[in-house]
Amino acid sequence: MKKMILLICLFLCFSILFAQTDNSAGPITLDARLSQSDFVPNEVLVKFKDDVAVSVHYTTLPKTGMRTAAVGVASVDQILQQHNVSAAAKLFRNAERLPFKKMLTAPNGKQFEQPSLHNIYKFSVANASAQAAPADIFSLINELKNDPNVAYAEPNYMYSVVADQPLSPPMTEAEAEEYARTHSSSEPNKTNAITVVTPNDPLYPQQYYIPAVHADAVWDSTTGDTSQIIAFLDTGIDWHHPDLADNIWTNAAEADGVPGADDDGDGFVDDVHGWDFINNDNDPMDDNSHGTHVAGIAAAVGNNGIGIAGVDWHAKIMPIKVFQSSGRGDVATITQGIWYAVMKGATVINMSFGSYARSLTMEAALQYAYANCVLVAAAGNDGASMAPCGFYDGSIFFPAGLSYVLGVQADASFSNIDCDGPFVSVYPDLFNYELKAPGAGILSTIPNGNYRVYSGTSMAAPIVSGGVALYNQLYPGRSQEDMWIRLINSRGTDLSGNVDFANAIITNPPPRLYQVEQNIVDTLGSDNRDGVVDAGETIELWYKVRNVGGHCDSAYLAIRFGEFEDTTTAQILTSKAYIGSMSPYAMRYSSTPLVIKISPNVSHDRDIVFEGLLWYKGSSDTTKQRIVLNVTNATKLFGIVDSSLTLTPDRNWIVQSSFRIASSGTMNIKPGTRLIIDADLNNRGILNAIGTPDSEIVITGGANFTGGGSYNFKNVLFTERNGSFGTEPQFEGTYNLDMCIIDGGMGPMNNYYLFNSNVLNISDCIIKNVSTVNGFGFFGLMAGHYSVVRSNFESCIINTALNRRIYMDS
């Protein structure tokens, strides 16, 4: 039954997604919730650990006669046989294990090891239909992930080009000129402040996006050269187009070699002008128009008297077809295109595609490529924000969101955005979109020598790719960190505008300092050294600072109270710390800490607001950031209670992970007491929490009550509860609740059931605002007695789809 429900859900997901991709009203949109379910049904991508020797061969099972794949690893081969894996193939041709480890640093400071791609394989399951595959695939994936020889296993996710339905018909050059006369268009913005170059391409006046990013002002310094090779992972390119032909990349080894022979020995025969990974041939011709349009924006031949001018007039265009005519492609195919681009010497890789499904295989290929190329990707057309803010819930579009990929938004309402900006990230992996460029009403090339207007972040990305090629040609010795800093800061002081290539190339950006990490040290005097701000402690604050601007000399950090904060809550003992000089994207800790003495009478859970100040030598202003310290004022419970312990209302009490009531122990909680369950309360003896109607006991916190002991609760208010009473599979303990209120605050209950006990007696209680969306229900029972009388359930949600057993419900 479970498999049938899963298959029906996945079928509906596929149906909705396919329907959405046929969108004639605007840019193609993708549902973040459905991307996880969009994958090739019978394929799995697997990375073996680097030191595992893999040797693909095939065996025939004696009982069934079925031919199955094997890799020479006994535990894995057993899994492959059980799941009828019929084929196994190395994903990246000629990839060999890297001889030594190489650590890479993304421009935003995220560090990662350049992955070796030699041990990534694609497995195919025999006779897997679209209707029957998903359950088998995920079972196979889970078993492979648990094998000690496997680094990861994942579905072969589907990605889509980030495109738009046409805003104009296909047009010849003459028709495009006539179209421009009858449709509104922005003229190039010539300004006396910046010297601009105007090419003789007849459609250039309609390319408003060139002056919008001041690429025309860069042309006075350079219009590009053939040292830059932009690889376009797309639907192919019409490499015969008269506005592109002279800039199409040529593989000299194959062009000058023997027809029909693999002259450069890379496994691709006669790949003179790129490769078609969809049809596995050497003709990456565009059968969609997306790839040709994207390539023209970045690198159409400029000043040739034909059509349009690319942002870079002379960069080489490397056609790599990894998407079908429908605009869809799978990760295995796309990543082979990434590998090809790197092997063939691409300096920039343009990726006007994406998905909300995160693929580890794609990340491995891109991390490998980052050491050699600048990676540029479209941020998506769904009007969603990467960072949760306002009415946005946070959806990351890959690969644009990755920390080592320049994610490009469009200056249009359809574009995905990044609410927290290009330098700050709410995610541990530091996901961000960094740049913005025009993306609405973009005129460019399409197959058969024609032109058309499209809108989308697909069109914004190649504007940046072309600009990056210009930058690289002008400054071949500069680091990616320096380039990113210049490009991002060219958007203006508030970082809201389009990228400005003239500003990025001509202007040295000023330093821009941020506090990115705070470490609390409470090891002075009698402090308890738990890293928590406790009332009465003297704490040290050590800060890590990042410079996301140009080089700065002698940076400093200081702290002061927030504007309206009560200054009696703390005393600032050391208010200033030295950071030092910082290069672009550098991160440094302060050389000395800021020191603050917390008043002993500060209330529990009290926030104290400070203001952090950052400046550097010669700066005209100071960066300010809000700093909030949350104070704990409570007695912490730890150790073993093997006799008797009484909790009184004159203070708060907090359960820590090392606390337990032994079988010989008793803990009594007096009326009016507040107990905070920050860790599971393990009771193997007796816990009596007996309040009164006018002096309730309050128990808060999201951890569980566990152990096989006896719990007696009367007149207790449980607030913000998302833990359970007892744990499965033990179902231990006796719970007696009388005149209690359990208020879950509608937080998801993450355990199997709200109550997991042998004996449960509930009388005259109220259970409200409890959600079991991440659990199975309210009551679980292995053996024993349940009694629920005169009790109400208010505003509760049971996730009935997950309820395997509901012995009692209301």
Side-chain angles (χ1 to χ4, degrees):
M1 176 59 85
K2 284 184 183 179
K3 288 187 177 181
M4 181 61 69
I5 293 173
L6 174 61
L7 295 176
I8 292 172
C9 291
L10 290 173
F11 175 77
L12 292 174
C13 290
F14 291 144
S15 302
I16 294 170
L17 183 59
F18 291 140
Q20 285 187 338
T21 58
D22 184 20
N23 184 345
S24 60
I28 289 176
T29 61
L30 301 175
D31 191 321
R33 297 164 298 178
L34 300 182
S35 292
Q36 301 287 343
S37 304
D38 194 13
F39 52 83
V40 180
N42 62 333
E43 293 180 356
V44 173
L45 303 180
V46 179
K47 185 179 191 299
F48 293 95
K49 292 179 179 178
D50 288 350
D51 57 354
V52 175
V54 177
S55 177
V56 175
H57 57 283
Y58 294 88
T59 61
T60 301
L61 300 180
K63 292 185 179 180
T64 63
M66 180 174 289
R67 181 174 180 265
T68 63
V71 295
V73 180
S75 58
V76 175
D77 288 345
Q78 183 177 0
I79 296 171
L80 301 186
Q81 287 184 10
Q82 291 173 348
H83 289 272
N84 299 324
V85 173
S86 59
K90 188 173 183 176
L91 196 57
F92 302 108
R93 300 185 190 184
N94 303 324
E96 297 181 356
R97 183 176 181 180
L98 296 178
F100 53 86
K101 291 184 177 181
K102 181 179 180 180
M103 293 304 298
L104 302 176
T105 302
N108 64 0
K110 181 70 175 179
Q111 290 190 320
F112 54 91
E113 181 182 333
Q114 184 182 24
S116 184
L117 304 182
H118 70 289
N119 254 0
I120 301 179
Y121 286 79
K122 182 174 76 172
F123 292 156
S124 299
V125 178
N127 302 320
S129 66
Q131 289 75 24
D136 294 334
I137 288 297
F138 285 113
S139 176
L140 171 60
I141 288 172
N142 288 333
E143 290 183 39
L144 287 170
K145 285 166 65 175
N146 291 327
D147 189 280
N149 299 287
V150 173
Y152 68 73
E154 66 177 4
N156 186 11
Y157 288 112
M158 298 296 296
Y159 278 50
S160 299
V161 294
V162 188
D164 188 331
Q165 295 299 320
L167 301 182
S168 73
M171 300 176 289
T172 64
E173 182 181 276
E175 289 169 340
E177 290 187 83
E178 177 61 29
Y179 179 87
R181 280 193 285 271
T182 59
H183 293 75
S184 61
S185 177
S186 300
E187 293 294 327
N189 179 24
K190 299 180 178 62
T191 171
N192 294 328
I194 302 177
T195 301
V196 297
V197 173
T198 302
N200 63 12
D201 304 88
L203 296 180
Y204 176 70
Q206 311 312 316
Q207 293 181 262
Y208 80 93
Y209 52 91
I210 298 288
V213 296
H214 289 158
D216 54 345
V218 178
W219 291 341
D220 187 52
S221 300
T222 182
T223 54
D225 67 14
T226 59
S227 67
Q228 295 301 303
I229 302 171
I230 307 176
F232 294 90
L233 303 177
D234 220 293
T235 60
I237 294 172
D238 179 2
W239 47 281
H240 300 299
H241 196 293
D243 220 358
L244 304 179
D246 287 348
N247 280 353
I248 296 297
W249 170 78
T250 297
N251 181 359
E254 294 288 353
D256 299 335
V258 179
D262 183 9
D263 297 287
D264 53 9
D266 61 0
F268 301 97
V269 177
D270 292 340
D271 55 325
V272 177
H273 298 303
W275 194 257
D276 180 349
F277 285 90
I278 297 298
N279 300 297
N280 197 32
D281 60 37
N282 67 340
D283 184 12
M285 185 55 67
D286 188 1
D287 51 11
N288 174 284
S289 83
H290 186 270
T292 304
H293 196 273
V294 167
I297 295 168
V301 180
N303 208 41
N304 65 343
I306 301 174
I308 65 171
V311 175
D312 188 311
W313 295 2
H314 304 292
K316 288 301 178 183
I317 297 169
M318 182 185 289
I320 303 177
K321 182 176 175 61
V322 291
F323 287 92
Q324 302 179 42
S325 58
S326 63
R328 288 164 54 80
D330 61 84
V331 164
T333 304
I334 297 168
T335 53
Q336 289 179 74
I338 296 171
W339 169 257
Y340 181 90
V342 176
M343 294 303 100
K344 297 301 183 180
T347 57
V348 182
I349 298 180
N350 187 88
M351 298 175 285
S352 291
F353 62 82
S355 170
Y356 294 99
R358 184 178 183 182
S359 166
L360 297 177
T361 302
M362 180 168 289
E363 290 185 33
L366 290 174
Q367 287 174 354
Y368 184 91
Y370 172 75
N372 304 280
C373 310
V374 179
L375 308 173
V376 181
N381 298 333
D382 307 308
S385 173
M386 170 188 294
C389 67
F391 56 87
Y392 298 113
D393 60 359
S395 298
I396 305 163
F397 199 68
F398 296 104
L402 297 173
S403 61
Y404 40 87
V405 175
L406 277 170
V408 185
Q409 309 157 81
D411 61 347
S413 60
F414 58 73
S415 178
N416 287 357
I417 62 174
D418 186 357
C419 277
D420 59 14
F423 294 129
V424 178
S425 180
V426 299
Y427 300 100
D429 286 317
L430 304 181
F431 299 132
N432 277 120
Y433 308 135
E434 288 77 20
L435 299 178
K436 183 186 289 185
I442 306 298
L443 174 67
S444 185
T445 51
I446 60 171
N448 302 315
N450 290 328
Y451 300 85
R452 179 175 270 171
V453 177
Y454 279 105
S455 294
T457 57
S458 271
M459 288 66 243
I463 294 174
V464 171
S465 292
V468 165
L470 290 175
Y471 182 96
N472 281 348
Q473 185 256 317
L474 275 174
Y475 304 113
R478 286 185 178 173
S479 65
Q480 279 214 48
E481 292 91 336
D482 185 82
M483 181 192 68
W484 280 49
I485 284 290
R486 289 170 175 270
L487 291 176
I488 295 172
N489 281 280
S490 76
R491 296 174 56 185
T493 56
D494 61 355
L495 304 177
S496 62
N498 287 324
V499 61
D500 184 328
F501 291 117
N503 191 9
I505 287 172
I506 298 169
T507 306
N508 290 321
R512 190 188 290 259
L513 305 179
Y514 283 91
Q515 301 164 16
V516 295
E517 184 179 310
Q518 170 185 283
N519 287 329
I520 296 173
V521 177
D522 55 344
T523 59
L524 301 178
S526 59
D527 295 348
N528 59 14
R529 307 179 181 224
D530 63 354
V532 175
V533 181
D534 292 307
E537 284 189 330
T538 299
I539 62 169
E540 296 178 330
L541 298 178
W542 294 85
Y543 282 94
K544 182 186 285 187
V545 174
R546 181 168 58 162
N547 177 23
V548 293
H551 179 86
C552 77
D553 183 24
S554 300
Y556 294 89
L557 169 69
I559 194 170
R560 66 189 181 193
F561 282 102
E563 183 179 6
F564 301 107
E565 184 57 86
D566 179 2
T567 59
T568 65
T569 56
Q571 181 183 1
I572 300 175
L573 302 180
T574 303
S575 62
K576 181 179 176 182
Y578 179 67
I579 305 296
S581 299
M582 302 183 71
S583 58
Y585 268 120
M587 286 190 286
R588 294 189 63 174
Y589 276 108
S590 56
S591 59
T592 56
L594 305 173
V595 183
I596 299 174
K597 171 71 174 178
I598 307 297
S599 298
N601 57 350
V602 175
S603 301
H604 178 71
D605 201 26
R606 167 72 151 84
D607 288 339
I608 305 178
V609 178
F610 297 90
E611 190 172 53
L613 309 174
L614 277 170
W615 72 96
Y616 55 92
K617 183 179 179 180
S619 61
S620 58
D621 56 7
T622 300
T623 301
K624 300 176 182 178
Q625 286 184 253
R626 193 166 181 258
I627 298 173
V628 179
L629 299 181
N630 181 263
V631 179
T632 296
N633 194 346
T635 298
K636 296 173 183 177
L637 299 172
F638 56 90
I640 299 175
V641 177
D642 54 8
S643 56
S644 178
L645 174 67
T646 300
L647 307 188
T648 54
D650 59 337
R651 69 191 73 181
N652 294 316
W653 304 82
I654 298 179
V655 174
Q656 295 191 313
S657 58
S658 58
F659 179 69
R660 186 175 78 230
I661 303 173
S663 58
S664 60
T666 299
M667 185 168 81
N668 299 302
I669 305 178
K670 293 292 186 179
T673 300
R674 181 180 180 87
L675 176 64
I676 302 158
I677 311 295
D678 276 352
D680 288 358
L681 197 162
N682 188 319
N683 171 30
R684 303 178 186 183
I686 300 173
L687 187 153
N688 297 311
I690 310 300
T692 63
D694 58 353
S695 185
E696 292 179 319
I697 294 169
V698 177
I699 299 179
T700 187
N704 306 309
F705 296 101
T706 66
S710 175
Y711 290 88
N712 302 300
F713 299 114
K714 184 173 183 177
N715 288 305
V716 176
L717 171 62
F718 299 91
T719 65
E720 301 296 327
R721 291 289 300 157
N722 57 20
S724 64
F725 296 80
T727 56
E728 190 182 17
Q730 290 85 7
F731 290 96
E732 296 175 338
T734 297
Y735 292 83
N736 301 303
L737 290 88
D738 184 19
M739 293 186 288
C740 295
I741 298 175
I742 301 174
D743 186 350
M746 203 48 77
M749 187 265 296
N750 297 311
N751 297 278
Y752 288 101
Y753 297 96
L754 180 58
F755 297 100
N756 304 286
S757 59
N758 280 333
V759 178
L760 173 66
N761 297 300
I762 302 177
S763 62
D764 299 299
C765 292
I766 297 174
I767 301 174
K768 63 181 182 179
N769 299 319
V770 173
S771 169
T772 67
V773 294
N774 291 340
F776 290 132
F778 287 133
F779 303 96
L781 179 65
M782 294 292 282
H785 169 74
Y786 275 37
S787 172
V788 182
V789 297
R790 295 186 306 277
S791 296
N792 297 319
F793 292 80
E794 301 177 1
S795 301
C796 295
I797 299 175
I798 281 188
N799 190 354
T800 54
L802 292 177
N803 265 317
R804 299 177 302 175
R805 306 186 300 271
I806 301 180
Y807 293 94
M808 305 180 64
D809 60 10
S810 297

